[in-house]
């Protein structure tokens, strides 16, 4: 068939009108229809630690309890794969996507693609760069902990209880992720007002146990006078204990270990005297995540952030709290 120049111009005009309509239709958040049951996506970042496994189980249990279909993906520690996972959920026509964005910037195109396809997104546990995407405009809301406050609380506990220790090594989480950025900020800002504490070195251990161990070993060799290790999560703190022991030192005596997450293993290590204090970061998102989706479908106003309360564990309460740690 011969396509005339006039027909081509008409098609181009129609395509441009359609794309202008799509932009206009989803300049605001896409709605979620009221239904008895939904097909929703959960795009997980990785499954290499108990925190992630507990978060996934909480989402799967909640979907099963409500009779919703859950499309689950595991990005295996790759932001690029997580973007592809979200695109696959869009192609499968899910009603809504729960997204735990591995890093603050690389997942922005995925959020915008879901929005363009008319699928609302709820961010779980990690946030995105607020200069690039906003709650109430590009995604519905962020549900998670206040990571700056977590870092601040650990620093405050340390300043009060250090007992003469003062030379700190910091093991950061995944570079470019909101918990790594914010837990560092909360901690560093607090100790800036306490010059008797010195941050000797701060390096990423990627939220992973073995990476945390390796980085702690290297840092302890470079700074043998370090007497405090602040890890951005339990996994790296547990790795750091191995590094302290490999250096011939006693965790909990020669080196004070501080962490964030609060799983059963680390709470037991507080009871055992190897870890000093841990700020909780609950991974149990299921009920709140699904309740928020229903509230959104019902047309309720959703705040831009829904902050989870976090407990704090040290020797004074660890035995009592052990049973309720995830
Ligand atoms: O985003 C929360 C952090 O990610 C948790 O502290 C950590 O254990 C997880 O991988």
């Amino acid at each position: 068939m011969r396509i005339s120049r006039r027909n081509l111009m008409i098609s181009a005009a129609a395509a441009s009108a359609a794309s202008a309509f799509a932009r206009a239709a989803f300049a605001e958040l896409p709605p979620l229809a009221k239904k008895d049951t939904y097909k929703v996506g959960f795009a997980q970042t990785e499954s290499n630690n108990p925190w992630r496994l507990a978060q996934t189980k909480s989402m799967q249990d909640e979907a099963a309890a409500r009779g919703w279909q859950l499309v689950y993906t595991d990005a295996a520690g790759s932001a690029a794969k997580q973007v592809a996972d979200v695109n696959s959920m869009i192609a499968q026509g899910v009603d809504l996507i729960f997204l735990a964005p591995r890093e603050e910037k690389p997942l922005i195109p995925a959020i915008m693609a879901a929005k363009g396809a008319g699928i609302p997104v709820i961010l779980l546990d990690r946030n995105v760069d607020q200069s690039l995407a906003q709650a109430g405009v590009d995604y519905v809301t962020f549900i998670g902990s206040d990571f700056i406050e977590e870092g601040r609380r650990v620093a405050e506990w340390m300043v009060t209880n250090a007992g003469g220790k003062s030379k700190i090594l910091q093991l950061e989480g995944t570079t470019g992720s909101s918990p790594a950025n914010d837990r560092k900020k909360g901690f560093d800002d607090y100790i800036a007002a306490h010059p008797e504490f010195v941050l000797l070195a701060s390096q990423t251990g990627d939220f992973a146990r073995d990476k945390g161990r390796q980085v702690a070993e290297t840092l302890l060799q470079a700074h043998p006078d370090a007497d405090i290790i602040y890890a951005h999560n339990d996994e790296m703190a547990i790795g750091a204990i191995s590094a302290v022991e490999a250096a011939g030192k006693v965790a909990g005596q020669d080196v004070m270990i501080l962490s964030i997450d609060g799983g059963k293993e680390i709470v037991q290590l507080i009871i055992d005297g190897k870890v000093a204090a841990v700020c909780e970061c609950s991974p149990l998102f299921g009920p709140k995540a699904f309740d928020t989706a229903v509230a959104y479908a019902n047309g309720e106003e959703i705040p831009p952030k829904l902050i989870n309360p976090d407990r704090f564990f040290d020797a004074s309460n660890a035995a009592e709290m052990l049973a309720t740690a995830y």
Side-chain angles (χ1 to χ4, degrees), residues 5-324:
R5 183 177 149 74
R6 181 169 176 277
N7 280 349
L8 265 179
M9 284 172 68
I10 290 170
S11 313
S16 149
S19 109
F21 172 76
R23 279 200 304 275
F26 300 113
E28 301 294 326
L29 275 178
L32 180 63
K34 275 174 99 163
K35 296 200 283 185
D36 289 339
T37 184
Y38 293 93
K39 176 178 171 182
V40 295
F42 173 43
Q44 177 61 284
T45 63
E46 57 215 338
S47 299
N48 63 346
N49 71 45
W51 195 99
R52 291 282 147 204
L53 296 177
Q55 187 190 36
T56 298
K57 184 173 183 315
S58 175
M59 295 296 284
Q60 288 171 335
D61 287 353
E62 193 64 24
R66 293 180 190 240
W68 293 17
Q69 187 183 344
L70 186 71
V71 177
Y72 169 72
T73 55
D74 174 0
S78 159
K81 179 172 183 311
Q82 198 172 29
V83 171
D85 290 343
V86 171
N87 286 332
S88 160
M89 289 174 183
I90 295 170
Q92 292 175 63
V94 297
D95 296 306
L96 176 140
I97 295 172
F98 295 111
L99 170 65
R102 179 171 159 79
E103 291 148 54
E104 286 192 317
K105 287 190 169 71
L107 270 296
I108 300 291
I111 292 172
M112 296 309 180
K115 180 183 177 185
I119 300 171
V121 172
I122 292 178
L123 298 185
L124 291 190
D125 111 65
R126 291 191 184 176
N127 213 332
V128 291
D129 187 323
Q130 296 298 289
S131 68
L132 301 174
Q134 275 116 46
V137 179
D138 303 308
Y139 60 90
V140 178
T141 187
F142 161 82
I143 306 175
S145 293
D146 181 337
F147 297 131
I148 294 180
E149 179 63 4
E150 289 175 347
R152 192 202 65 76
R153 287 174 79 185
V154 171
E156 183 181 46
W157 189 96
M158 177 192 74
V159 166
T160 311
N161 297 282
K165 293 186 175 14
S166 63
K167 301 187 187 73
I168 308 161
L169 300 176
Q170 180 169 202
L171 299 177
E172 299 174 24
T174 299
T175 303
S177 71
S178 59
N181 291 341
D182 292 353
R183 287 171 183 171
K184 178 164 176 55
K185 179 174 171 41
F187 184 88
D188 290 1
D189 285 356
Y190 192 89
I191 64 166
H194 297 273
E196 67 276 27
F197 287 87
V198 183
L199 185 56
L200 298 174
S202 187
Q203 200 173 309
T204 182
D206 204 15
F207 281 133
R209 187 178 297 206
D210 201 51
K211 184 87 186 287
R213 179 191 60 76
Q214 288 170 33
V215 173
E217 269 184 21
T218 306
L219 294 181
L220 283 167
Q221 279 161 16
H223 303 280
D225 54 338
D227 51 18
I228 298 175
I229 295 181
Y230 161 49
H232 285 187
N233 80 343
D234 288 358
E235 288 297 290
M236 295 188 295
I238 294 166
I241 292 171
S242 302
V244 167
E245 289 170 351
K249 298 184 177 181
V250 179
Q253 290 178 26
D254 302 320
V255 183
M256 169 182 276
I257 309 283
L258 304 164
S259 174
I260 296 173
D261 270 358
K264 270 201 175 16
E265 191 175 355
I266 207 102
V267 177
Q268 182 60 53
L269 285 163
I270 298 176
I271 296 168
D272 297 344
K274 294 192 175 189
V275 171
V278 179
C279 184
E280 185 183 42
C281 177
S282 174
L284 307 179
F285 283 77
K288 198 166 179 178
F290 284 68
D291 280 351
T292 303
V294 171
Y296 184 60
N298 288 339
E300 291 173 30
E301 193 162 325
I302 312 291
K305 283 186 177 179
L306 294 167
I307 299 300
N308 293 338
D310 291 325
R311 299 176 294 176
F312 200 93
F313 306 130
D314 64 12
S316 70
N317 65 356
E320 175 200 337
M321 297 290 193
L322 182 63
T324 58

